[in-house]
Amino acid sequence: MAMVGLFWVTPDAVYVGSPPSAIGGCVRLTGDGLEAVDPDGSRTWTWEELRSAVVEDVPVEGPSGRAVKLLGSVLSAALDAFRGEGPPEMTLRLETENGPEEVTAPAAVAGYGAGETALSQDLLARFVAGTADPRTLEAWGRDHAQEGTPKPPVRESLLRTWAGA
């Protein structure tokens, strides 16, 4: 598994925030669209049905010790899940052909960097616009997710590349 910006990439799937846990839901991205899963069930939207998708309430990292904080945040989130406590929640605001929708996405870490957050928002907007494809992230995940989360400059480079792909 690897975290790149606001996306959690596994060899099998791409999520906004963290992957599903035993106690919570998730927001999964596919080539066809977006799927939100929560304890009440699941909802899906095709990319064509979406007019916009913006992640709000993104927890922000502090200015120092990014690598240590990243590792600590991932471990903390895993421990919280084990204890039955959920991670911080982000809100995914969708504008659909049928009006606004709101989806909760669990954050993967306690704080995301501003640069990666902005690049992730841009990439998500490009998915909606049809100028980028989540399958690009899926392919990267099959080849590289087992290597773990790349360093910040590599993550930002990946996000820029995926937005142009």
Side-chain angles (χ1 to χ4, degrees):
M1 298 179 290
M3 189 181 72
V4 180
L6 298 178
F7 306 106
W8 191 267
V9 185
T10 73
D12 303 320
V14 177
Y15 302 93
V16 174
S18 69
S21 69
I23 61 165
C26 67
V27 176
R28 183 170 180 238
L29 305 178
T30 70
D32 297 325
L34 186 147
E35 177 185 21
V37 178
D38 61 32
D40 298 327
S42 69
R43 297 177 284 167
T44 60
W45 297 269
T46 65
W47 294 117
E48 292 79 21
E49 291 174 307
L50 294 172
R51 304 293 179 254
S52 67
V54 177
V55 183
E56 296 181 350
D57 307 319
V58 176
V60 180
E61 76 176 0
S64 63
R66 284 171 35 158
V68 171
K69 286 184 181 180
L70 174 63
L71 178 58
S73 295
V74 171
L75 293 173
S76 177
L79 183 58
D80 287 346
F82 177 76
R83 290 189 305 223
E85 299 172 16
E89 293 182 342
M90 302 182 293
T91 304
L92 183 56
R93 297 204 191 280
L94 307 173
E95 188 61 44
T96 75
E97 60 185 13
N98 297 318
E101 297 277 350
E102 189 173 288
V103 175
T104 301
V109 295
Y112 293 91
E116 286 184 68
T117 297
L119 290 167
S120 297
Q121 298 278 19
D122 180 52
L123 183 55
L124 189 57
R126 290 175 185 273
F127 293 155
V128 172
T131 59
D133 192 329
R135 288 178 282 221
T136 303
L137 284 71
E138 291 174 0
W140 181 88
R142 282 190 294 280
D143 294 338
H144 300 285
Q146 294 298 342
E147 298 166 13
T149 298
K151 295 188 181 295
V154 174
R155 295 193 305 258
E156 289 187 13
S157 177
L158 283 169
L159 290 164
R160 283 188 188 93
T161 300
W162 293 337

